[in-house]
Amino acid sequence: MYRLTIHELHDRLKRKEVSSQEVTEVLLKRIAEIDPKIKAYLTVAQQEAIRGAQEADRMIATGRISPLTGIPLAIKDNMCTRGIKTTCASKILENFVPPFDATVVNRIKAEGGVILGKLNMDEFAMGSSTENSRFTITRNPWNLQVIPGGSSGGSAAAVAADECIASLGSDTGGSIRQPAACCGVVGMKPTYGRVSRYGLVAFASSLDQIGPLTKDVEDCAILLNAIAGYDPLDSTSADTPTPDYRRGLVKDVKGWVLGVPKEFFVEGMDPEVEERVWDGIRVLQELGAVIKEISLPHTGYAIATYYIICTAEASSNLARYDGVKYGFRAQDPRDLMEMYLETRSQGFGPEVKRRIMLGTYALSSGYYDAYYKKASQVRTLIKGNFEEAFRECDVIITPTSPTPAFRIGEKVQDPLQMYLSDIFTISVNLAGVPAISVPCGFSSDGLPIGVQIIGRPFEEERIIQVAYTFEQNTDHHKRKPPLPPH
Ligand code: GLN
C-alpha cells in the first residue's frame, strides 16, 4: 500500500477500501523498517500523524474528501510545523519548535493531508548532497553508498523509498530538481511567487521556492494545486489566478516547439546523462514535438552570479540566529560578544559559515558595486536570455544534473565541484521561471537520470503537459529501487 501514488490512494480512500489511519500506520511501519538504512527523516511525528489521519477519516465519513484528504506526506525540515521540531538540519535550530505552521503546511492540513514528519536536508538548504546536514547522512535508495542529491535529499529519498506518498522540498538553486533526478522521482520548482514561502526558513529570499516531490507527474499537479496561490502573509507571493494544474495532464505535444540550449550540452557532462536526455528528447520528437536548437548565451555566468547573490542574501537572513531570540545558545559566555561569537561558531557548520563570510564580504561597503550589484545585473541578462528563447519555443529541455548521483564523501572536500552539480538548475532560479525534473532513464550502474523541462513564468501547466506526455510514453517511473518490501 505504501507504494501507491496520491491519486491511487485517493481512489481507495474514496471507495472506503482503506482508511487513512490504516495507510498511515502502514507508512509509519515502513519508516521504522526502512529509515534506519535510508535516514531520510529527522523527525517522525507519529502521534500527530495518527491524529491527523483520524481527523481525515472523520472528514471522509462526512463526505468531505479532496485530493489530499488522508494522504500521508512529509515535509523538508525547513518549513515550520506547529508543535513539531523544525531544525533546518542545523545545530543552531536543534530544538526549535515553531508556534505556527508554514502556509504550505496549513494548506495541506486544511485539505486533510497527514504529516508524517520532517525530512533531512543540507544545513539551511546549502548543498547538493545532504552531506551538510549536522545530524545524519541520507542515503540514496538506489544505492546506499551514493548521495540522494540535495539539499532536499531527505524529501527525494523518502518518496523513492516509499516512506511517504509524496513530499515537499525547497529549491534555491536546484534543491528539488537535482535530488529528484538523483532518486528517480518527479520534482518541480514552481515560478518565483507561485507558492507562499511564509514559514519557510529563508536562505536566499530572491531565489527560494517551495515545490512538490512525487512518484509521478499527476501527483505533482495535485500537490501543486494544494500549495499554489496568493498569500497575503508573503509579500513576494503573486496575486494571479491559479489554474487547476490537472488540466496539464494531457498526452499531447504535437507541434510544440521544444528548445534545446546548445550551452547546456558541453564538455564535462557524463556521456550517459547526455545519451539518456537525448533519448528522452527523441521520444517527444516521435510524438510530434518540434526540436529546435536555442541559445542561452549567459549560461556560463550562472554559477558565479548565483554564488554571489545567494551568499549575500544568506548572510543577511542568517544574522537573526544570535542565541538571543530562539534556538541554540553557547554555554557560559563571559560577555555578550562572546555569546554571539560562540553561539554562531558552534551553531553553524562549515558550509554555512563559508557562505556567511562570502556573503558578508560581497555586501561590504566598497565591494557591493563590484559583487552584488554586478551579479544582479548579470542576473537580469540571464533572465533576458530566457525571455528571448521563449519567443522561439514553448518549453526548454535540458539535463537536470550533469552526472548521476555521486558517492558519499566524493565531493565534500571540494566545494567548487559540489557547486557544479547545479550548473543546469541554477539559471532557472535566477530567471524565476518554473521547471520540472522527470526520470528519463538509468546509468549503467543502475542510478536514475533526470530530464529538466523549463517553462515561461506561470506556465506550470505546460511543463506538466510535456512531462506527463513523456512519462506516459515511457516506463522509467515504474522502476523501483532495490529495497526490501515488507
Ligand atoms: N546546491 C545549491 C546550493 O548549495 C542549491 C541549494 C538549494 O537549491 N537550496 O546553494
Side-chain angles (χ1 to χ4, degrees):
M1 195 148 53
Y2 51 82
R3 293 221 153 148
L4 298 176
T5 60
I6 297 178
H7 54 97
E8 287 163 353
L9 182 54
H10 172 76
D11 290 343
R12 299 199 187 183
L13 288 163
K14 201 167 159 180
R15 291 198 299 262
K16 303 211 169 65
E17 288 170 13
V18 64
S19 72
S20 175
Q21 184 164 348
E22 280 164 344
V23 215
T24 302
E25 278 166 2
V26 166
L27 274 144
L28 289 168
K29 182 156 170 266
R30 171 80 176 165
I31 295 169
E33 281 177 14
I34 295 287
D35 210 52
K37 284 201 190 73
I38 306 288
K39 296 188 162 49
Y41 280 85
L42 289 177
T43 303
V44 180
Q46 184 133 4
Q47 285 175 0
E48 289 86 347
I50 297 289
R51 243 185 284 129
Q54 289 166 341
E55 174 64 30
D57 284 332
R58 279 192 291 274
M59 282 171 81
I60 297 169
T62 59
R64 283 189 299 141
I65 180 162
S66 36
L68 290 186
T69 314
I71 310 282
L73 305 168
I75 312 282
K76 186 177 182 178
D77 210 20
N78 59 351
M79 292 171 229
C80 287
T81 39
R82 185 154 62 111
I84 303 172
K85 269 202 289 188
T86 298
T87 69
C88 279
S90 181
K91 186 169 174 184
I92 215 151
L93 287 174
E94 193 168 5
N95 294 309
F96 174 57
V97 178
F100 72 107
D101 279 323
T103 294
V104 288
V105 172
N106 231 330
R107 290 193 180 193
I108 286 174
K109 284 188 179 171
E111 270 206 34
V114 175
I115 311 285
L116 289 168
K118 307 296 292 289
L119 299 164
N120 197 23
M121 55 186 279
D122 285 298
E123 184 177 7
F124 283 99
M126 299 173 186
S128 304
S129 67
T130 314
E131 289 164 297
N132 294 337
S133 166
R134 290 300 289 283
F135 302 129
T136 187
I137 291 182
T138 299
R139 295 176 184 263
N140 190 315
W142 293 89
N143 178 339
L144 301 180
Q145 304 317 315
V146 160
I147 58 111
S151 64
S152 313
S155 303
V159 174
D162 295 303
E163 294 184 71
C164 59
I165 304 295
S167 68
L168 290 184
S170 69
D171 190 314
T172 304
S175 277
I176 290 175
R177 292 159 286 157
Q178 183 259 12
C182 290
C183 291
V185 300
V186 176
M188 181 200 267
K189 181 203 90 75
T191 309
Y192 185 77
R194 183 67 298 175
V195 176
S196 166
R197 287 127 14 115
Y198 178 72
L200 168 72
V201 178
F203 162 14
S205 305
S206 75
L207 300 160
D208 300 339
Q209 188 55 205
I210 294 171
L213 289 109
T214 56
K215 296 178 189 174
D216 67 11
V217 177
E218 183 167 348
D219 278 5
C220 176
I222 293 170
L223 197 44
L224 184 62
N225 272 347
I227 60 172
Y230 176 63
D231 177 13
L233 296 174
D234 173 359
S235 61
T236 62
S237 104
D239 194 0
T240 51
T242 315
D244 179 352
Y245 292 106
R246 281 176 304 188
R247 286 197 325 220
L249 301 174
V250 176
K251 287 180 257 180
D252 181 20
V253 287
K254 255 185 232 83
W256 286 41
V257 182
L258 313 184
V260 179
K262 58 172 190 256
E263 292 81 1
F264 279 59
F265 290 83
V266 285
E267 241 178 285
M269 187 177 356
D270 184 289
E272 288 189 311
V273 170
E274 186 163 358
E275 279 166 32
R276 293 295 88 76
V277 170
W278 275 109
D279 291 346
I281 293 171
R282 275 190 289 271
V283 168
L284 290 165
Q285 192 173 24
E286 275 158 28
L287 293 163
V290 179
I291 310 302
K292 179 159 192 187
E293 186 182 274
I294 57 158
S295 173
L296 296 167
H298 293 92
T299 299
Y301 301 103
I303 296 244
T305 305
Y306 170 82
Y307 276 97
I308 289 173
I309 291 178
C310 88
T311 56
E313 294 182 8
S315 73
S316 154
N317 275 325
L318 271 57
R320 68 187 63 147
Y321 305 103
D322 56 5
V324 177
K325 302 177 198 78
Y326 46 74
F328 168 76
R329 177 184 296 176
Q331 293 294 302
D332 305 321
R334 271 180 313 214
D335 54 24
L336 182 66
M337 202 42 101
E338 193 178 282
M339 194 280 287
Y340 287 149
L341 277 171
E342 279 304 308
T343 295
R344 289 169 67 83
S345 304
Q346 296 169 26
F348 293 131
E351 181 62 29
V352 175
K353 284 184 201 158
R354 178 182 296 124
R355 299 215 188 180
I356 291 174
M357 286 189 274
L358 285 171
T360 305
Y361 181 79
L363 288 179
S364 55
S365 96
Y367 293 101
Y368 177 86
D369 282 358
Y371 294 107
Y372 193 76
K373 189 170 165 210
K374 186 55 116 195
S376 304
Q377 289 166 334
V378 178
R379 178 182 191 167
T380 305
L381 295 176
I382 290 173
K383 191 160 178 265
N385 286 176
F386 277 94
E387 279 159 14
E388 259 167 58
F390 280 125
R391 280 193 209 116
E392 302 177 62
C393 61
D394 297 300
V395 300
I396 296 174
I397 299 224
T398 76
T400 305
S401 185
T403 62
F406 41 90
R407 294 186 87 74
I408 290 170
E410 195 179 313
K411 298 192 182 176
V412 274
Q413 300 308 331
D414 190 346
L416 203 58
Q417 274 307 311
M418 191 71 90
Y419 294 174
L420 289 173
S421 309
D422 298 301
I423 192 154
F424 300 138
T425 45
I426 270 173
S427 36
V428 170
N429 300 72
L430 290 169
V433 295
I436 189 169
S437 176
V438 269
C440 71
F442 291 82
S443 69
S444 43
D445 300 341
L447 291 173
I449 294 171
V451 61
Q452 173 174 240
I453 302 157
I454 310 169
R456 298 189 186 103
F458 299 103
E459 290 195 351
E460 281 82 1
E461 212 179 306
R462 270 184 198 252
I463 55 175
I464 286 174
Q465 183 162 339
V466 178
Y468 186 70
T469 307
F470 177 73
E471 176 194 80
Q472 295 298 309
N473 283 283
T474 51
D475 49 18
H476 312 300
H477 66 292
K478 292 192 189 132
R479 250 169 91 172
K480 285 283 182 185
L483 290 172
H486 78 255

